[in-house]
Amino acid sequence: MPKILILRFSSIGDIVLTTPVARCVKQQVPGAEVHFCTKQAFRGILANNPYIDKVHVLQGTLNELVQQLKAENFDYVVDLHNNLRTRVIKARLGKPGRSFNKLNYEKWLMVNFKLNRLPDVHIVNRYLDAAAPLGVKDDGKGLDYFIPPQDEVDLQNLPAPFRQGYVAFAIGAQHYTKRLPTERIIELCGRLQQPVILLGGKEDAATGEEVVAYFESRNTTHHTRIYNACGRYSLNGSASLVKQARKVVSHDTGLMHIAAAFQKNIISIWGNTIPEFGMYPFRTRYKVLEVHGLSCRPCSKIGYSKCPKGHFKCMRDIRFNDLMFEHAEA
């Protein structure tokens, strides 16, 4: 029975994007035993995945983790992170393996000189390339996300306006330059014609309250159909609300990829980063909202805590056009 180790330490979206590799290895390599190594904070994303036999987590020192992994005596290592720590692990295990191509040079050219040498290849396909020596091929089935029954949200427990359908709006993102300013979130919510549930972590709760308060202060019908769920649910609970949504609006963030796993119709909003980096919604219907033609974009392959130029045009100048709303109602 071949024993395969997959390495990816973070983050939510990146780990969801690795799920086709786990599934394809499990289903296409005869008798494969699939192990996955990640950080403790992200264990829950993988705990219910039927294609993963065992999850290892980085809790103590890297040396302790290496000793734990050595005891498993793996046959092959698929490194889907390709950073210093995973390279150290791979080297110390001394087993055959391959790391995925991060395209760092191509991204550097794009960020610093706006020279696009990026291949038109989704990151999922680059992940799968790292498992290709095992005979693994893309099965065309997209992403996976498994929610345990106890974490599914009963819509009857939501306020009445949201029980018959809603748009899920993931308003958070790890970096400021990947999030719409609050006033633009308000503008977008005001133009959507369905009830809207705002999703995010505890760090997004204050923004959600600001959005709700805006509509309440104007005594419009909108305030009865904007529900701030930021910080009220676990990741699995938020994923359940995404799964049951009619449509999903999202920044470039983990919930966008979870939405893709559930084959949702997605409006994908991009600021300082670009879909050409290869992390747009995978194998689902989506519409990208972005500002084309900015000489400063992309300014980073990840994001910043503020706009380096001070104008933040990549988010402030996004047009919420008619095509977007047709898509949202499709």
Side-chain angles (χ1 to χ4, degrees):
M1 180 181 292
K3 220 174 194 182
I4 315 299
L5 174 65
I6 299 172
L7 298 169
R8 180 74 215 194
F9 282 129
S10 62
S11 52
I12 294 170
D14 298 284
I15 292 171
V16 173
L17 288 166
T18 68
T19 56
V21 178
R23 181 184 66 245
C24 290
V25 169
K26 186 67 175 176
Q27 293 188 328
Q28 297 176 25
V29 178
E33 183 178 323
V34 179
H35 292 225
F36 200 111
C37 183
T38 190
K39 290 182 180 178
Q40 174 64 29
F42 305 111
R43 182 175 196 154
I45 301 172
L46 305 164
N48 300 284
N49 190 319
Y51 305 114
I52 297 173
D53 297 288
K54 187 174 181 179
V55 179
H56 303 267
V57 295
L58 175 62
Q59 286 182 297
T61 66
L62 191 63
N63 185 60
E64 289 171 337
L65 177 60
V66 169
Q67 295 308 312
Q68 175 187 338
L69 296 175
K70 275 187 174 182
E72 296 286 354
N73 193 26
F74 293 106
D75 296 294
Y76 195 86
V77 180
V78 183
D79 180 4
L80 302 184
H81 206 132
N82 194 7
N83 67 0
L84 179 59
R85 284 188 298 190
T86 59
R87 290 194 289 270
V88 167
I89 290 171
K90 193 160 159 282
R92 291 185 61 185
L93 291 180
K95 299 294 183 178
R98 181 182 287 186
S99 301
F100 97 106
N101 185 356
K102 298 181 80 166
L103 300 178
N104 282 338
Y105 177 66
E106 291 85 352
K107 290 178 182 177
W108 182 82
L109 285 176
M110 190 66 190
V111 168
N112 292 282
F113 299 102
K114 307 303 180 275
L115 292 175
N116 190 354
R117 300 293 186 267
L118 293 160
D120 185 15
V121 178
H122 198 283
I123 192 172
V124 170
N125 298 109
R126 289 191 279 126
Y127 284 157
L128 285 164
D129 284 345
L134 296 169
V136 168
K137 296 181 180 180
D138 183 7
D139 60 7
K141 296 180 180 178
L143 308 177
D144 288 323
Y145 194 93
F146 299 95
I147 305 172
Q150 66 272 18
D151 289 343
E152 290 281 8
V153 176
D154 183 353
L155 298 190
Q156 294 308 306
N157 292 328
L158 296 177
F162 305 91
R163 296 172 190 170
Q164 303 303 315
Y166 56 87
V167 174
F169 187 173
I171 65 171
Q174 187 174 2
H175 299 281
Y176 171 85
T177 50
K178 296 173 77 172
R179 300 192 299 265
L180 284 168
T182 304
E183 65 270 18
R184 301 235 61 204
I185 294 175
I186 290 170
E187 179 187 349
L188 195 158
C189 288
R191 295 183 67 177
L192 290 170
Q193 299 302 309
Q194 299 181 41
V196 179
I197 294 183
L198 306 178
L199 295 176
K202 293 180 180 179
E203 67 277 9
D204 304 306
T207 299
E209 287 305 310
E210 192 173 343
V211 173
V212 172
Y214 173 89
F215 291 110
E216 286 181 341
S217 68
R218 279 150 181 78
N219 196 30
T220 68
T221 57
H222 281 87
H223 83 273
T224 63
R225 59 180 189 83
I226 307 288
Y227 176 56
N228 180 21
C230 296
R232 299 189 183 189
Y233 295 90
S234 66
L235 178 60
N236 280 339
S238 294
S240 177
L241 289 171
V242 164
K243 178 182 176 182
Q244 298 179 80
R246 289 178 177 171
K247 315 291 176 188
V248 176
V249 180
S250 180
H251 299 127
D252 171 22
T253 189
L255 283 177
M256 180 183 77
H257 299 300
I258 291 173
F262 293 124
Q263 298 288 294
K264 308 310 290 188
N265 192 343
I266 301 170
I267 296 171
S268 178
I269 304 169
W270 295 73
N272 80 288
T273 56
I274 56 174
E276 287 81 359
F277 286 154
M279 298 182 71
Y280 47 88
F282 188 66
R283 298 265 164 84
T284 195
R285 187 182 177 200
Y286 68 96
K287 164 70 178 174
V288 167
L289 294 185
E290 61 183 332
V291 178
H292 294 283
L294 283 178
S295 62
C296 56
R297 180 174 181 263
C299 62
S300 164
K301 66 179 182 180
I302 302 174
Y304 292 114
S305 59
K306 62 180 180 179
C307 171
K309 298 289 187 180
H311 53 63
F312 204 21
K313 289 183 177 180
C314 63
M315 280 299 193
R316 294 192 184 280
D317 289 356
I318 286 180
R319 295 180 61 192
F320 300 146
N321 53 40
D322 291 341
L323 178 62
M324 169 203 153
F325 295 106
E326 289 173 7
H327 177 92
E329 300 299 326

